[in-house]
């Protein structure tokens, strides 16, 4: 059931993002789900990347936004609006961080109740790095039958000791 809910939520987010600015952005599943390391309580994490940076900037108005306000915040607000209007999401909020962690859009799929996070920061440690990290962890899991159980054990141990929110 949870796999089906994740697939429905993924389809909703991807459809809304694809509709935003005529397919200038793609939403990739990252985090524990993208790495194949999810648990029954895992949320869905997405990395939002432009298919072509120049045309994505033009289509989303980022160049105009850079003249007057933070372009990342501007795009996150657009994403939040699209997810609420076209993606079937509720409790949509832009969460700005001042730390190393990227700002993101948090939301909940109205149909499945699945919690979703969408990040879009580019550069080191940004969306592309999240995609690469998920792919690398997934490959480790495919290469060794011991990797996934070990990671899930460590996640459970850390969560039980309130060291992480994973």
């Amino acid at each position: 059931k949870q796999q089906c809910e994740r697939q429905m939520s993924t389809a909703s987010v991807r459809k809304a993002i694809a509709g935003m600015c005529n397919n200038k952005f793609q939403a990739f599943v990252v985090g524990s789900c993208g790495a194949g390391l999810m648990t029954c309580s895992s949320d869905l994490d997405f990395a939002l990347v432009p298919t072509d940076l120049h045309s994505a900037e033009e289509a989303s108005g980022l160049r105009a936004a850079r003249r007057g306000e933070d372009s990342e915040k501007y795009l996150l607000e657009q994403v939040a609006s699209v997810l609420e209007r076209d993606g079937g999401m509720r409790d949509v909020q832009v969460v700005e961080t001042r730390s190393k962690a990227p700002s993101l859009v948090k939301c909940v799929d109205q149909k499945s109740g699945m919690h979703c996070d969408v990040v879009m920061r580019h550069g080191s440690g940004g969306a592309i790095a999240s995609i690469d990290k998920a792919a690398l962890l997934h490959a480790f899991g495919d290469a060794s039958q011991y990797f996934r159980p070990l990671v899930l054990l460590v996640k459970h141990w850390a969560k039980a000791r309130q060291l992480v929110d994973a």
Side-chain angles (χ1 to χ4, degrees):
K1 181 183 175 186
Q2 288 175 336
Q3 181 65 20
C4 183
E5 290 174 346
R6 281 192 181 94
Q7 289 174 345
M8 287 180 2
S9 297
T10 298
S12 295
V13 169
R14 285 183 170 160
K15 183 178 178 185
I17 297 301
M20 185 176 113
C21 308
N22 300 321
N23 292 312
K24 301 298 183 201
F25 294 93
Q26 286 182 289
F28 291 89
V29 177
V30 295
S32 59
C33 290
L37 300 168
M38 64 278 197
T39 63
C40 59
S41 62
S42 294
D43 66 354
L44 266 170
D45 298 309
F46 294 91
L48 182 64
V49 296
T51 54
D52 171 42
L53 186 57
H54 176 72
S55 56
E57 285 179 344
E58 290 294 325
S60 65
L62 284 180
R63 289 192 175 190
R66 285 191 179 138
R67 290 192 275 273
E69 60 184 303
D70 179 24
S71 60
E72 183 176 293
K73 180 181 177 187
Y74 178 81
L75 184 56
L76 286 171
E77 288 170 352
Q78 279 192 320
V79 168
S81 176
V82 165
L83 288 173
E84 194 165 35
R85 185 184 66 235
D86 303 331
M89 299 292 167
R90 63 177 167 82
D91 302 333
V92 179
Q93 60 180 325
V94 174
V95 179
E96 291 185 81
T97 62
R98 304 224 185 285
S99 67
K100 200 167 80 170
S103 297
L104 58 110
V105 175
K106 294 182 90 50
C107 54
V108 179
D109 187 307
Q110 290 181 23
K111 292 179 186 169
S112 69
M114 184 71 52
H115 289 253
C116 303
D117 296 339
V118 180
V119 300
M120 57 117 339
R121 179 178 290 170
H122 302 293
S124 66
I128 300 295
S130 297
I131 296 166
D132 291 343
K133 179 177 145 186
L136 182 62
L137 291 172
H138 203 284
F140 287 159
D142 290 344
S144 171
Q145 65 181 357
Y146 304 109
F147 182 76
R148 282 188 183 98
L150 178 61
V151 170
L152 293 174
L153 175 71
V154 171
K155 281 179 72 167
H156 177 75
W157 176 87
K159 188 173 183 179
R161 285 153 184 76
Q162 298 177 341
L163 299 174
V164 295
D165 63 356

